[in-house]
Amino acid sequence: VQLQASGGGLVQAGESLRLSCAASGSIFNNNVMSWYRQAPGKQRELVASITSGGSTSYADSMKARFAISRDYAKNTVYLQMNSLKPEDTAVYYCNLKWGVLYRYASWGQGTQVTVSS
């Protein structure tokens, strides 16, 4: 399975961005797609997830501003980010887990999001 992330860029505080991540290859029905982010000098953190059944979950600090969705026909997951803040600056990675107990995982290459004040 390969993941291709896109949509990052440089924006000003308060603006919006939508990230996309397209998955290709053999994707099994039972899966979860997620977005993580890693800021300089910090650990990678989970931003949001969406299961193959459509259930979503978010990091508490982002649930009011971010929305995750997926297009099943295109095997693509999106992250709509609104009211961006400088502290949202990070490399954003998409992740796909599948299999029993989500034992298999694949990562995208990351897309840079920079928010200027």
Side-chain angles (χ1 to χ4, degrees):
V1 176
Q2 291 187 327
L3 302 175
Q4 181 68 44
S6 61
L10 172 63
V11 297
Q12 292 187 334
E15 295 184 337
S16 299
L17 273 179
R18 189 176 83 152
L19 306 181
S20 301
C21 177
S24 60
S26 298
I27 300 169
F28 295 91
N29 290 335
N30 183 36
N31 63 70
V32 56
M33 298 188 79
S34 303
W35 286 98
Y36 289 75
R37 71 183 187 183
Q38 187 167 19
K42 296 187 177 181
Q43 290 188 331
R44 190 171 297 188
E45 61 177 341
L46 177 63
V47 175
S49 296
I50 183 166
T51 69
S52 49
S55 297
T56 59
S57 60
Y58 296 88
D60 286 343
S61 60
M62 289 168 259
K63 64 171 62 176
R65 300 182 295 118
F66 292 4
I68 190 170
S69 61
R70 63 191 291 176
D71 183 326
Y72 295 91
K74 296 181 179 180
N75 285 327
T76 299
V77 64
Y78 304 97
L79 183 68
Q80 178 67 43
M81 304 185 293
N82 301 321
S83 301
L84 283 162
K85 304 175 181 180
E87 51 263 42
D88 294 318
T89 295
V91 178
Y92 285 71
Y93 298 91
C94 58
N95 171 273
L96 172 68
K97 295 185 177 69
W98 71 96
V100 176
L101 300 178
Y102 299 136
R103 61 186 298 181
Y104 303 106
S106 181
W107 289 91
Q109 84 284 8
T111 184
Q112 176 72 48
V113 172
T114 303
V115 185
S116 63
S117 57

